[in-house]
Structures are given as C-alpha cells and as structure tokens.
Amino acid sequence: RVGLDDLVLQILLLDLGEPSTFLTKAVNPPSALAIKNSLQLLEGLGAIDVDWSKGGSASIANSKASTDDDASPDASTLNVNSGLTPLGFHLATLPVDPKIGKMMIYGALFNCVDTALTIAASMSARNPFMSPFDKRDEADAARQEFSTEESDHLTTLTAF
C-alpha cells in the first residue's frame, strides 16, 4: 500500500491529471475529505501551491484550465490541476514519506545529513525502546541512559 500523500505527489509528478478525478478511478477510491486533507498536508509542507479561494474547493496554481464538471461526485468539491513546487518535485522523486523526505532534503541543505538521516531512519522504523510488557522497566531504564530533555528524536539519535 502507498500513502495518499505519496500517491498525490506521484499523480502530479507524472502529470496524470487532476488527482481527485484520477483517484476516483481506483478500486477503492479515497473520500474527498481524505484527498483534501492530503492536499492540505502537502501545501503545509510546501510541496504544492493550492488556491483555497473557491468556497472550500482546491485548485493548484497552474496554467492549465479545469472545470468542476471533470470531478466525480465523490470529489466534487476538489478541482486540482497539475503543479508542484520545486520542493514538491524532489519529494515526489524520493521513496519515503513526504515529511521524512523534507527532513532529509533540509538536512542536506543545512549540512547535517548524518543527523537528519539517522532521525529519518528512526522515524521510518520501529521505536528502538519498545519492549514486551513484562520488560517495560528495563526498556525505560535503557531509554533514560540516552535521554535528552529537548526531544524524543534527539534521544533516539543519541541511542544510535
């Protein structure tokens, strides 16, 4: 399975048309709310530019014209044209969750690649401090050895 955020980025990258229309052709299409939430997340990450001025509908800024007639009933409130920001283009080409991908890109830009990649890897995997219920005290003690006050991510980084 692929996350909806990743799928929307891929649809926009491959210029397959309006994501809401394209996704309605899926075997189990996502709801309009799920698509809207995905668009809001991607906009918050800076991966896409969205114009929310049409009474709650979304249209991504681009020179292509699209009409509301193109949308299916499930996605009738969404009108999205192909368009990615430069960051969105790079996030679409990475095989990771967009939030993790942004951290990796910014880690490279800010010259802290090792730290960013370690935290990204830890976010993509199971928590190293998880343990069976009967050994929870031992896991908590091990976590305390690496604990930092600033962040759980820094605690995980220290452990690695």
Side-chain angles (χ1 to χ4, degrees):
R1 296 192 59 115
V2 176
L4 186 57
D5 306 326
D6 296 324
L7 195 55
V8 168
L9 284 176
Q10 290 300 309
I11 291 167
L12 294 173
L13 177 69
L14 298 173
D15 200 20
L16 297 175
E18 187 177 324
S20 58
T21 302
F22 185 83
L23 290 170
T24 58
K25 299 172 187 172
V27 175
N28 289 326
S31 68
L33 179 62
I35 296 171
K36 184 176 180 180
N37 288 342
S38 179
L39 293 172
Q40 287 175 331
L41 175 82
L42 292 171
E43 180 185 32
L45 289 173
I48 60 176
D49 291 323
V50 181
D51 177 17
W52 298 103
S53 63
K54 296 172 102 178
S57 67
S59 64
I60 294 181
N62 193 12
S63 60
K64 293 184 178 181
S66 178
T67 64
D68 289 334
D69 297 336
D70 294 336
S72 70
D74 289 337
S76 61
T77 61
L78 299 175
N79 182 15
V80 182
N81 292 322
S82 158
L84 293 170
T85 64
L87 175 62
F89 174 82
H90 291 291
L91 291 175
T93 60
L94 291 173
V96 296
D97 180 79
K99 293 177 271 190
I100 293 172
K102 183 175 179 178
M103 182 172 34
M104 292 167 57
I105 291 170
Y106 274 66
L109 291 173
F110 292 125
N111 200 25
C112 56
V113 176
D114 291 338
T115 302
L117 290 178
T118 301
I119 293 173
S122 71
M123 288 175 64
S124 300
R126 185 174 171 237
N127 185 341
F129 298 108
M130 293 189 79
S131 64
F133 187 73
D134 60 333
K135 296 187 179 186
R136 192 149 317 247
D137 293 335
E138 292 174 31
D140 289 342
R143 183 182 174 103
Q144 283 297 77
E145 288 181 39
F146 301 107
S147 181
T148 61
E149 293 180 16
E150 293 84 20
S151 162
D152 288 341
H153 294 304
L154 292 178
T155 298
T156 303
L157 177 66
T158 305
F160 284 105

Short mmCIF file of all heavy atoms in Angstrom, two decimals, residues 1-67:
data_model
loop_
_atom_site.label_atom_id
_atom_site.label_comp_id
_atom_site.label_asym_id
_atom_site.label_seq_id
_atom_site.Cartn_x
_atom_site.Cartn_y
_atom_site.Cartn_z
N ARG A 1 0.83 -1.19 0.00
CA ARG A 1 0.00 0.00 0.00
C ARG A 1 0.87 1.24 0.00
O ARG A 1 1.95 1.25 0.55
CB ARG A 1 -0.91 -0.03 1.21
CG ARG A 1 -1.89 -1.20 1.19
CD ARG A 1 -2.96 -1.08 2.22
NE ARG A 1 -3.73 0.13 2.04
CZ ARG A 1 -5.01 0.16 1.74
NH1 ARG A 1 -5.65 -0.94 1.55
NH2 ARG A 1 -5.66 1.29 1.63
N VAL A 2 0.34 2.29 -0.57
CA VAL A 2 1.04 3.56 -0.68
C VAL A 2 0.21 4.62 0.01
O VAL A 2 -1.02 4.63 -0.10
CB VAL A 2 1.24 3.93 -2.17
CG1 VAL A 2 1.87 5.29 -2.32
CG2 VAL A 2 2.06 2.89 -2.89
N GLY A 3 0.87 5.51 0.72
CA GLY A 3 0.17 6.60 1.38
C GLY A 3 -0.46 7.54 0.36
O GLY A 3 0.06 7.72 -0.75
N LEU A 4 -1.57 8.14 0.73
CA LEU A 4 -2.28 9.04 -0.18
C LEU A 4 -1.43 10.25 -0.55
O LEU A 4 -1.45 10.71 -1.69
CB LEU A 4 -3.61 9.47 0.44
CG LEU A 4 -4.54 10.30 -0.43
CD1 LEU A 4 -4.87 9.58 -1.74
CD2 LEU A 4 -5.81 10.63 0.32
N ASP A 5 -0.65 10.75 0.40
CA ASP A 5 0.22 11.90 0.13
C ASP A 5 1.23 11.55 -0.96
O ASP A 5 1.44 12.34 -1.90
CB ASP A 5 0.95 12.34 1.40
CG ASP A 5 0.01 12.62 2.55
OD1 ASP A 5 -1.11 13.09 2.30
OD2 ASP A 5 0.39 12.35 3.69
N ASP A 6 1.84 10.38 -0.85
CA ASP A 6 2.80 9.93 -1.86
C ASP A 6 2.11 9.77 -3.21
O ASP A 6 2.67 10.14 -4.25
CB ASP A 6 3.41 8.58 -1.46
CG ASP A 6 4.24 8.66 -0.20
OD1 ASP A 6 4.91 9.68 0.01
OD2 ASP A 6 4.20 7.69 0.58
N LEU A 7 0.92 9.23 -3.19
CA LEU A 7 0.18 8.99 -4.42
C LEU A 7 -0.19 10.29 -5.11
O LEU A 7 -0.04 10.43 -6.34
CB LEU A 7 -1.06 8.16 -4.12
CG LEU A 7 -1.77 7.52 -5.29
CD1 LEU A 7 -0.84 6.65 -6.11
CD2 LEU A 7 -2.94 6.69 -4.79
N VAL A 8 -0.64 11.28 -4.35
CA VAL A 8 -0.98 12.58 -4.93
C VAL A 8 0.26 13.22 -5.56
O VAL A 8 0.20 13.76 -6.67
CB VAL A 8 -1.62 13.51 -3.87
CG1 VAL A 8 -1.72 14.95 -4.37
CG2 VAL A 8 -3.00 13.01 -3.48
N LEU A 9 1.39 13.15 -4.87
CA LEU A 9 2.63 13.68 -5.44
C LEU A 9 3.00 12.98 -6.74
O LEU A 9 3.41 13.63 -7.71
CB LEU A 9 3.78 13.56 -4.44
CG LEU A 9 3.81 14.57 -3.30
CD1 LEU A 9 4.96 14.25 -2.34
CD2 LEU A 9 3.92 15.99 -3.81
N GLN A 10 2.85 11.66 -6.77
CA GLN A 10 3.18 10.90 -7.99
C GLN A 10 2.24 11.27 -9.14
O GLN A 10 2.67 11.39 -10.28
CB GLN A 10 3.13 9.40 -7.72
CG GLN A 10 4.25 8.89 -6.85
CD GLN A 10 5.61 9.15 -7.46
OE1 GLN A 10 5.86 8.83 -8.62
NE2 GLN A 10 6.49 9.75 -6.68
N ILE A 11 0.96 11.44 -8.84
CA ILE A 11 -0.01 11.83 -9.87
C ILE A 11 0.37 13.18 -10.45
O ILE A 11 0.34 13.38 -11.68
CB ILE A 11 -1.44 11.84 -9.29
CG1 ILE A 11 -1.90 10.42 -8.99
CG2 ILE A 11 -2.42 12.53 -10.25
CD1 ILE A 11 -3.16 10.34 -8.13
N LEU A 12 0.74 14.11 -9.59
CA LEU A 12 1.12 15.44 -10.05
C LEU A 12 2.45 15.41 -10.80
O LEU A 12 2.62 16.08 -11.81
CB LEU A 12 1.18 16.41 -8.88
CG LEU A 12 -0.17 16.71 -8.21
CD1 LEU A 12 0.02 17.56 -6.97
CD2 LEU A 12 -1.11 17.38 -9.19
N LEU A 13 3.39 14.60 -10.33
CA LEU A 13 4.70 14.50 -10.99
C LEU A 13 4.56 13.92 -12.39
O LEU A 13 5.18 14.41 -13.34
CB LEU A 13 5.64 13.62 -10.16
CG LEU A 13 7.03 13.37 -10.76
CD1 LEU A 13 7.84 14.66 -10.77
CD2 LEU A 13 7.75 12.30 -9.98
N LEU A 14 3.74 12.89 -12.52
CA LEU A 14 3.56 12.22 -13.81
C LEU A 14 2.56 12.92 -14.71
O LEU A 14 2.29 12.46 -15.82
CB LEU A 14 3.15 10.77 -13.58
CG LEU A 14 4.16 9.91 -12.84
CD1 LEU A 14 3.59 8.55 -12.52
CD2 LEU A 14 5.45 9.78 -13.64
N ASP A 15 1.98 14.02 -14.22
CA ASP A 15 1.01 14.82 -14.97
C ASP A 15 -0.14 13.95 -15.48
O ASP A 15 -0.49 13.97 -16.66
CB ASP A 15 1.70 15.55 -16.12
CG ASP A 15 0.89 16.73 -16.63
OD1 ASP A 15 0.02 17.21 -15.88
OD2 ASP A 15 1.12 17.17 -17.77
N LEU A 16 -0.71 13.18 -14.56
CA LEU A 16 -1.81 12.28 -14.90
C LEU A 16 -3.17 12.96 -14.79
O LEU A 16 -4.20 12.30 -14.89
CB LEU A 16 -1.78 11.05 -13.99
CG LEU A 16 -0.54 10.17 -14.15
CD1 LEU A 16 -0.55 9.05 -13.12
CD2 LEU A 16 -0.43 9.63 -15.56
N GLY A 17 -3.16 14.24 -14.56
CA GLY A 17 -4.41 14.99 -14.47
C GLY A 17 -4.73 15.36 -13.04
O GLY A 17 -3.89 15.34 -12.16
N GLU A 18 -5.99 15.68 -12.86
CA GLU A 18 -6.48 16.11 -11.56
C GLU A 18 -6.47 14.93 -10.59
O GLU A 18 -7.09 13.90 -10.86
CB GLU A 18 -7.89 16.63 -11.76
CG GLU A 18 -8.52 17.26 -10.58
CD GLU A 18 -9.90 17.81 -10.93
OE1 GLU A 18 -10.09 18.31 -12.03
OE2 GLU A 18 -10.76 17.73 -10.05
N PRO A 19 -5.76 15.03 -9.45
CA PRO A 19 -5.70 13.89 -8.53
C PRO A 19 -7.06 13.38 -8.07
O PRO A 19 -7.28 12.17 -8.00
CB PRO A 19 -4.89 14.42 -7.35
CG PRO A 19 -4.04 15.49 -7.93
CD PRO A 19 -4.89 16.12 -9.00
N SER A 20 -7.99 14.30 -7.79
CA SER A 20 -9.31 13.84 -7.32
C SER A 20 -10.03 13.04 -8.39
O SER A 20 -10.69 12.03 -8.10
CB SER A 20 -10.16 15.02 -6.86
OG SER A 20 -10.31 15.96 -7.91
N THR A 21 -9.90 13.43 -9.66
CA THR A 21 -10.52 12.70 -10.75
C THR A 21 -9.80 11.38 -10.99
O THR A 21 -10.42 10.33 -11.14
CB THR A 21 -10.50 13.53 -12.05
OG1 THR A 21 -11.19 14.75 -11.81
CG2 THR A 21 -11.14 12.79 -13.19
N PHE A 22 -8.49 11.44 -10.99
CA PHE A 22 -7.70 10.23 -11.23
C PHE A 22 -7.95 9.18 -10.14
O PHE A 22 -8.11 8.00 -10.43
CB PHE A 22 -6.21 10.58 -11.29
CG PHE A 22 -5.32 9.44 -11.65
CD1 PHE A 22 -5.13 9.08 -12.98
CD2 PHE A 22 -4.69 8.69 -10.66
CE1 PHE A 22 -4.32 8.01 -13.32
CE2 PHE A 22 -3.88 7.62 -10.99
CZ PHE A 22 -3.69 7.28 -12.34
N LEU A 23 -8.01 9.62 -8.91
CA LEU A 23 -8.17 8.68 -7.79
C LEU A 23 -9.57 8.07 -7.73
O LEU A 23 -9.75 7.00 -7.15
CB LEU A 23 -7.84 9.38 -6.47
CG LEU A 23 -6.36 9.69 -6.28
CD1 LEU A 23 -6.15 10.59 -5.07
CD2 LEU A 23 -5.55 8.41 -6.15
N THR A 24 -10.58 8.72 -8.32
CA THR A 24 -11.92 8.14 -8.32
C THR A 24 -11.99 6.89 -9.20
O THR A 24 -12.94 6.12 -9.08
CB THR A 24 -12.98 9.14 -8.81
OG1 THR A 24 -12.64 9.58 -10.12
CG2 THR A 24 -13.09 10.31 -7.85
N LYS A 25 -11.00 6.69 -10.05
CA LYS A 25 -10.95 5.51 -10.91
C LYS A 25 -10.32 4.31 -10.21
O LYS A 25 -10.28 3.22 -10.78
CB LYS A 25 -10.18 5.82 -12.18
CG LYS A 25 -10.81 6.94 -13.00
CD LYS A 25 -9.94 7.36 -14.15
CE LYS A 25 -10.51 8.58 -14.84
NZ LYS A 25 -9.59 9.13 -15.83
N ALA A 26 -9.87 4.49 -8.98
CA ALA A 26 -9.23 3.40 -8.24
C ALA A 26 -10.28 2.39 -7.79
O ALA A 26 -11.47 2.69 -7.72
CB ALA A 26 -8.50 3.96 -7.02
N VAL A 27 -9.81 1.18 -7.47
CA VAL A 27 -10.71 0.13 -6.99
C VAL A 27 -11.42 0.57 -5.71
O VAL A 27 -12.62 0.43 -5.57
CB VAL A 27 -9.94 -1.19 -6.77
CG1 VAL A 27 -10.84 -2.24 -6.16
CG2 VAL A 27 -9.33 -1.67 -8.07
N ASN A 28 -10.66 1.11 -4.76
CA ASN A 28 -11.21 1.68 -3.53
C ASN A 28 -10.81 3.15 -3.48
O ASN A 28 -9.80 3.50 -2.87
CB ASN A 28 -10.67 0.97 -2.29
CG ASN A 28 -11.22 -0.42 -2.15
OD1 ASN A 28 -12.36 -0.67 -2.51
ND2 ASN A 28 -10.41 -1.32 -1.63
N PRO A 29 -11.59 4.03 -4.12
CA PRO A 29 -11.18 5.44 -4.16
C PRO A 29 -11.26 6.09 -2.78
O PRO A 29 -12.16 5.78 -2.00
CB PRO A 29 -12.18 6.08 -5.13
CG PRO A 29 -13.35 5.18 -5.13
CD PRO A 29 -12.84 3.80 -4.82
N PRO A 30 -10.33 6.99 -2.49
CA PRO A 30 -10.39 7.72 -1.22
C PRO A 30 -11.52 8.74 -1.24
O PRO A 30 -11.96 9.17 -2.31
CB PRO A 30 -9.02 8.40 -1.14
CG PRO A 30 -8.57 8.52 -2.55
CD PRO A 30 -9.16 7.36 -3.28
N SER A 31 -11.95 9.13 -0.07
CA SER A 31 -13.01 10.13 0.03
C SER A 31 -12.46 11.51 -0.35
O SER A 31 -11.25 11.74 -0.32
CB SER A 31 -13.57 10.17 1.45
OG SER A 31 -12.59 10.67 2.34
N ALA A 32 -13.38 12.41 -0.68
CA ALA A 32 -12.98 13.78 -0.99
C ALA A 32 -12.29 14.42 0.21
O ALA A 32 -11.34 15.19 0.05
CB ALA A 32 -14.19 14.60 -1.42
N LEU A 33 -12.74 14.08 1.42
CA LEU A 33 -12.13 14.61 2.64
C LEU A 33 -10.68 14.14 2.77
O LEU A 33 -9.79 14.92 3.12
CB LEU A 33 -12.94 14.22 3.88
CG LEU A 33 -12.37 14.69 5.22
CD1 LEU A 33 -12.33 16.22 5.28
CD2 LEU A 33 -13.20 14.14 6.36
N ALA A 34 -10.44 12.87 2.48
CA ALA A 34 -9.07 12.34 2.55
C ALA A 34 -8.16 13.02 1.54
O ALA A 34 -7.02 13.37 1.85
CB ALA A 34 -9.07 10.83 2.33
N ILE A 35 -8.68 13.26 0.35
CA ILE A 35 -7.89 13.95 -0.68
C ILE A 35 -7.61 15.38 -0.25
O ILE A 35 -6.50 15.88 -0.36
CB ILE A 35 -8.59 13.90 -2.05
CG1 ILE A 35 -8.70 12.46 -2.54
CG2 ILE A 35 -7.86 14.76 -3.07
CD1 ILE A 35 -9.56 12.28 -3.77
N LYS A 36 -8.65 16.05 0.28
CA LYS A 36 -8.47 17.43 0.75
C LYS A 36 -7.45 17.50 1.88
O LYS A 36 -6.59 18.39 1.90
CB LYS A 36 -9.82 18.00 1.21
CG LYS A 36 -9.75 19.45 1.62
CD LYS A 36 -11.13 19.99 1.97
CE LYS A 36 -11.03 21.44 2.38
NZ LYS A 36 -12.34 22.00 2.72
N ASN A 37 -7.52 16.56 2.82
CA ASN A 37 -6.54 16.53 3.92
C ASN A 37 -5.13 16.31 3.39
O ASN A 37 -4.17 16.91 3.88
CB ASN A 37 -6.90 15.45 4.93
CG ASN A 37 -8.12 15.80 5.75
OD1 ASN A 37 -8.52 16.96 5.83
ND2 ASN A 37 -8.75 14.79 6.33
N SER A 38 -5.00 15.45 2.39
CA SER A 38 -3.69 15.20 1.79
C SER A 38 -3.16 16.47 1.13
O SER A 38 -1.99 16.82 1.27
CB SER A 38 -3.78 14.07 0.77
OG SER A 38 -2.55 13.84 0.17
N LEU A 39 -4.03 17.18 0.40
CA LEU A 39 -3.63 18.43 -0.24
C LEU A 39 -3.21 19.47 0.79
O LEU A 39 -2.24 20.20 0.59
CB LEU A 39 -4.75 18.96 -1.12
CG LEU A 39 -5.09 18.13 -2.35
CD1 LEU A 39 -6.35 18.66 -3.02
CD2 LEU A 39 -3.93 18.10 -3.32
N GLN A 40 -3.94 19.54 1.91
CA GLN A 40 -3.59 20.49 2.96
C GLN A 40 -2.23 20.16 3.57
O GLN A 40 -1.43 21.05 3.84
CB GLN A 40 -4.67 20.52 4.04
CG GLN A 40 -5.94 21.20 3.60
CD GLN A 40 -7.05 21.12 4.63
OE1 GLN A 40 -7.13 20.19 5.41
NE2 GLN A 40 -7.92 22.12 4.62
N LEU A 41 -1.97 18.87 3.80
CA LEU A 41 -0.67 18.47 4.34
C LEU A 41 0.45 18.82 3.37
O LEU A 41 1.47 19.39 3.77
CB LEU A 41 -0.65 16.96 4.64
CG LEU A 41 0.72 16.46 5.08
CD1 LEU A 41 0.92 16.74 6.57
CD2 LEU A 41 0.89 15.01 4.78
N LEU A 42 0.25 18.50 2.08
CA LEU A 42 1.28 18.78 1.09
C LEU A 42 1.50 20.28 0.92
O LEU A 42 2.61 20.74 0.71
CB LEU A 42 0.92 18.13 -0.25
CG LEU A 42 0.95 16.60 -0.24
CD1 LEU A 42 0.36 16.04 -1.52
CD2 LEU A 42 2.37 16.09 -0.01
N GLU A 43 0.42 21.06 1.04
CA GLU A 43 0.57 22.51 0.99
C GLU A 43 1.36 23.01 2.20
O GLU A 43 2.23 23.86 2.08
CB GLU A 43 -0.80 23.18 0.96
CG GLU A 43 -0.73 24.69 0.90
CD GLU A 43 -2.09 25.35 0.99
OE1 GLU A 43 -2.98 24.79 1.66
OE2 GLU A 43 -2.25 26.43 0.40
N GLY A 44 1.07 22.46 3.36
CA GLY A 44 1.80 22.83 4.58
C GLY A 44 3.27 22.49 4.50
O GLY A 44 4.11 23.21 5.04
N LEU A 45 3.60 21.41 3.81
CA LEU A 45 5.00 21.04 3.61
C LEU A 45 5.69 21.91 2.57
O LEU A 45 6.91 21.89 2.46
CB LEU A 45 5.11 19.57 3.18
CG LEU A 45 4.81 18.52 4.23
CD1 LEU A 45 4.80 17.13 3.60
CD2 LEU A 45 5.82 18.58 5.36
N GLY A 46 4.91 22.64 1.78
CA GLY A 46 5.47 23.45 0.71
C GLY A 46 5.69 22.66 -0.57
O GLY A 46 6.44 23.08 -1.44
N ALA A 47 5.02 21.51 -0.70
CA ALA A 47 5.19 20.67 -1.87
C ALA A 47 4.30 21.09 -3.03
O ALA A 47 4.61 20.83 -4.19
CB ALA A 47 4.91 19.21 -1.51
N ILE A 48 3.17 21.71 -2.73
CA ILE A 48 2.24 22.17 -3.76
C ILE A 48 1.73 23.56 -3.39
O ILE A 48 1.75 23.95 -2.23
CB ILE A 48 1.04 21.20 -3.94
CG1 ILE A 48 0.25 21.05 -2.64
CG2 ILE A 48 1.51 19.85 -4.45
CD1 ILE A 48 -1.00 20.19 -2.78
N ASP A 49 1.29 24.29 -4.40
CA ASP A 49 0.64 25.58 -4.19
C ASP A 49 -0.84 25.38 -4.42
O ASP A 49 -1.26 24.96 -5.50
CB ASP A 49 1.16 26.63 -5.17
CG ASP A 49 2.60 27.02 -4.88
OD1 ASP A 49 2.97 27.08 -3.70
OD2 ASP A 49 3.35 27.25 -5.84
N VAL A 50 -1.66 25.69 -3.41
CA VAL A 50 -3.09 25.46 -3.51
C VAL A 50 -3.83 26.77 -3.34
O VAL A 50 -3.52 27.57 -2.47
CB VAL A 50 -3.57 24.45 -2.43
CG1 VAL A 50 -5.06 24.21 -2.55
CG2 VAL A 50 -2.81 23.15 -2.54
N ASP A 51 -4.83 26.99 -4.18
CA ASP A 51 -5.70 28.15 -4.09
C ASP A 51 -7.02 27.68 -3.47
O ASP A 51 -7.79 26.96 -4.10
CB ASP A 51 -5.93 28.72 -5.49
CG ASP A 51 -6.90 29.89 -5.49
OD1 ASP A 51 -7.14 30.46 -4.40
OD2 ASP A 51 -7.40 30.22 -6.56
N TRP A 52 -7.28 28.07 -2.23
CA TRP A 52 -8.48 27.64 -1.50
C TRP A 52 -9.59 28.68 -1.60
O TRP A 52 -10.53 28.67 -0.83
CB TRP A 52 -8.16 27.40 -0.03
CG TRP A 52 -7.16 26.33 0.18
CD1 TRP A 52 -5.84 26.49 0.47
CD2 TRP A 52 -7.38 24.91 0.12
NE1 TRP A 52 -5.22 25.26 0.59
CE2 TRP A 52 -6.15 24.29 0.38
CE3 TRP A 52 -8.49 24.12 -0.15
CZ2 TRP A 52 -6.01 22.90 0.39
CZ3 TRP A 52 -8.35 22.74 -0.14
CH2 TRP A 52 -7.12 22.15 0.13
N SER A 53 -9.52 29.60 -2.54
CA SER A 53 -10.46 30.72 -2.58
C SER A 53 -11.85 30.38 -3.11
O SER A 53 -12.75 31.17 -3.00
CB SER A 53 -9.87 31.84 -3.44
OG SER A 53 -9.70 31.39 -4.77
N LYS A 54 -12.07 29.22 -3.68
CA LYS A 54 -13.35 28.89 -4.31
C LYS A 54 -14.29 28.19 -3.33
O LYS A 54 -14.76 27.10 -3.58
CB LYS A 54 -13.13 28.01 -5.53
CG LYS A 54 -12.37 28.71 -6.62
CD LYS A 54 -12.03 27.74 -7.71
CE LYS A 54 -12.96 27.92 -8.87
NZ LYS A 54 -12.65 27.03 -9.98
N GLY A 55 -14.54 28.79 -2.19
CA GLY A 55 -15.51 28.26 -1.25
C GLY A 55 -15.18 26.88 -0.73
O GLY A 55 -16.02 26.02 -0.65
N GLY A 56 -13.91 26.65 -0.39
CA GLY A 56 -13.53 25.37 0.17
C GLY A 56 -12.99 24.40 -0.86
O GLY A 56 -12.47 23.37 -0.52
N SER A 57 -13.13 24.74 -2.14
CA SER A 57 -12.56 23.84 -3.14
C SER A 57 -11.11 24.17 -3.33
O SER A 57 -10.64 25.23 -2.98
CB SER A 57 -13.32 23.96 -4.46
OG SER A 57 -13.12 25.23 -5.03
N ALA A 58 -10.39 23.24 -3.89
CA ALA A 58 -8.96 23.42 -4.05
C ALA A 58 -8.60 23.42 -5.51
O ALA A 58 -9.10 22.63 -6.28
CB ALA A 58 -8.22 22.28 -3.36
N SER A 59 -7.74 24.32 -5.90
CA SER A 59 -7.16 24.24 -7.23
C SER A 59 -5.71 24.63 -7.11
O SER A 59 -5.38 25.65 -6.57
CB SER A 59 -7.91 25.13 -8.22
OG SER A 59 -7.79 26.48 -7.86
N ILE A 60 -4.86 23.77 -7.64
CA ILE A 60 -3.44 24.03 -7.58
C ILE A 60 -3.09 24.98 -8.71
O ILE A 60 -3.52 24.80 -9.85
CB ILE A 60 -2.63 22.73 -7.70
CG1 ILE A 60 -2.90 21.87 -6.48
CG2 ILE A 60 -1.16 23.00 -7.85
CD1 ILE A 60 -2.17 20.59 -6.45
N ALA A 61 -2.30 26.01 -8.37
CA ALA A 61 -1.95 27.02 -9.35
C ALA A 61 -1.18 26.40 -10.51
O ALA A 61 -0.18 25.75 -10.32
CB ALA A 61 -1.12 28.11 -8.68
N ASN A 62 -1.69 26.66 -11.72
CA ASN A 62 -1.02 26.19 -12.93
C ASN A 62 -1.70 26.86 -14.10
O ASN A 62 -2.80 27.39 -13.99
CB ASN A 62 -1.10 24.66 -13.05
CG ASN A 62 -0.16 24.13 -14.11
OD1 ASN A 62 0.70 24.85 -14.59
ND2 ASN A 62 -0.34 22.87 -14.47
N SER A 63 -1.08 26.81 -15.26
CA SER A 63 -1.65 27.45 -16.43
C SER A 63 -2.76 26.63 -17.05
O SER A 63 -3.51 27.13 -17.87
CB SER A 63 -0.54 27.71 -17.45
OG SER A 63 0.05 26.49 -17.83
N LYS A 64 -2.90 25.37 -16.70
CA LYS A 64 -3.94 24.52 -17.27
C LYS A 64 -5.30 24.92 -16.71
O LYS A 64 -5.45 25.21 -15.55
CB LYS A 64 -3.68 23.06 -16.94
CG LYS A 64 -2.46 22.51 -17.60
CD LYS A 64 -2.35 21.04 -17.27
CE LYS A 64 -1.15 20.46 -17.97
NZ LYS A 64 -1.03 19.04 -17.70
N ALA A 65 -6.31 24.86 -17.54
CA ALA A 65 -7.67 25.15 -17.10
C ALA A 65 -8.39 23.84 -16.82
O ALA A 65 -8.21 22.87 -17.52
CB ALA A 65 -8.41 25.95 -18.17
N SER A 66 -9.23 23.87 -15.80
CA SER A 66 -10.02 22.69 -15.46
C SER A 66 -11.38 23.13 -14.99
O SER A 66 -11.51 24.18 -14.37
CB SER A 66 -9.32 21.88 -14.38
OG SER A 66 -10.08 20.78 -14.02
N THR A 67 -12.40 22.35 -15.27
CA THR A 67 -13.74 22.72 -14.85
C THR A 67 -14.22 21.79 -13.76
O THR A 67 -13.71 20.70 -13.60
CB THR A 67 -14.72 22.63 -16.04
OG1 THR A 67 -14.78 21.27 -16.46
CG2 THR A 67 -14.29 23.53 -17.18
#
